[in-house]
Amino acid sequence: SQQGEEDPQALSIQEGENATMNCSYKTSINNLQWYRQNSGRGLVHLILIRSNEREKHSGRLRVTLDTSKKSSSLLITASRAADTASYFCASLSYNQGGKLIFGQGTELSVKP
Amino acid sequence: GAGVSQSPSNKVTEKGKDVELRCDPISGHTALYWYRQSLGQGLEFLIYFQGNSAPDKSGLPSDRFSAERTGGSVSTLTIQRTQQEDSAVYLCASSSGTGLWGANEKLFFGSGTQLSVL
């Protein structure tokens, strides 16, 4: 069964605005990863945060992890039209056999 | 190869036929994963390989689905007696697998196979 839940399911913003996507999971995790998918095909890894980390940055991306609330957020600052895509969180849990469990995704639309 | 390669990119088949989907992972990657994605949905885990063995087959939807990996490289996902509900994009991913079952490494995805069962 899917472990991750993402919120919102869809987000539409203007270029230059910030986009925040949230992810919740159900069991203890080893790490949590965020992926991007264009046009419903292959996913591209964006960032990985380990269970002992609380915040991580990569360029315009900022990820936070709150293990007490079993939640993570992805912030994209100064969004661009090229950021339009679906974004998925994926949690790794030893309780789930060490496989990555993906959420349902957030569809982000950035309007120029 | 330079990336994860999947073939065919698109497959149209008739209900009841068998299909084989192929995945060629990044050279040297020991971990290989198969996921399924229905239209507008998240990724559903199917099966995971570490080398040639599959420690986790828990996601295979039914006994019509099977997968194998030979030589620690290419993997084939076979769906027998296809049904219309099998229509989806089948995604393969690999990782270098240096952590627990490759658990700490990011996944590299192929472009997927779009399967349509008529």
Side-chain angles (χ1 to χ4, degrees):
Chain A
S1 62
Q2 292 288 347
Q3 176 172 236
E5 297 289 336
E6 293 189 59
D7 166 55
Q9 290 187 324
L11 178 62
S12 182
I13 59 174
Q14 295 294 131
E15 250 186 338
E17 294 181 339
N18 296 340
T20 299
M21 290 161 268
N22 303 296
C23 167
S24 62
Y25 55 91
K26 297 177 182 175
T27 66
S28 300
I29 63 169
N30 171 261
N31 68 54
L32 189 136
Q33 304 178 31
W34 285 88
Y35 288 79
R36 167 189 168 131
Q37 183 180 41
N38 287 80
S39 304
R41 298 305 283 254
L43 283 75
V44 175
H45 180 269
L46 295 175
I47 195 166
L48 179 155
I49 186 166
R50 302 192 188 283
S51 59
N52 61 350
E53 297 175 313
R54 291 297 167 258
E55 188 170 313
K56 204 161 184 179
H57 296 254
S58 176
R60 293 184 296 112
L61 305 180
R62 174 180 166 241
V63 169
T64 61
L65 180 65
D66 187 334
T67 52
S68 66
K69 294 181 180 177
K70 292 186 169 60
S71 68
S72 173
S73 67
L74 171 68
L75 169 68
I76 303 174
T77 60
S79 64
R80 305 166 182 168
D83 294 329
T84 296
S86 292
Y87 292 82
F88 293 87
C89 69
S91 56
L92 173 75
S93 170
Y94 294 127
N95 293 336
Q96 296 288 326
K99 58 184 178 280
L100 271 179
I101 300 295
F102 283 79
Q104 296 296 312
T106 293
E107 191 173 334
L108 173 66
S109 175
V110 182
K111 301 186 185 309
Chain B
V4 178
S5 177
Q6 290 188 248
S7 61
S9 57
N10 288 281
K11 176 71 177 179
V12 180
T13 190
E14 293 178 349
K15 178 182 172 181
K17 300 278 190 183
D18 297 351
V19 295
E20 279 191 355
L21 312 180
R22 175 188 168 105
C23 174
D24 199 343
I26 291 173
S27 178
H29 278 193
T30 57
L32 186 147
Y33 303 75
W34 284 99
Y35 289 88
R36 178 169 74 172
Q37 185 178 30
S38 300
L39 188 62
Q41 301 296 309
L43 274 70
E44 176 188 3
F45 170 82
L46 297 179
I47 188 169
Y48 157 80
F49 287 93
Q50 181 62 264
N52 291 335
S53 64
D56 192 336
K57 304 179 183 180
S58 63
L60 293 178
S62 73
D63 59 7
R64 296 185 296 103
F65 287 73
S66 63
E68 64 176 15
R69 189 179 185 195
T70 55
S73 182
V74 172
S75 176
T76 302
L77 177 68
T78 301
I79 309 173
Q80 295 178 311
R81 305 180 303 282
T82 53
Q83 304 294 312
Q84 288 181 332
E85 61 262 29
D86 299 334
S87 296
V89 175
Y90 288 81
L91 292 161
C92 175
S94 69
S95 75
S96 58
T98 58
L100 176 67
W101 297 316
N104 290 326
E105 300 296 326
K106 63 184 183 182
L107 299 189
F108 294 83
F109 280 84
S111 296
T113 294
Q114 172 74 64
L115 176 64
S116 299
V117 182
L118 304 179

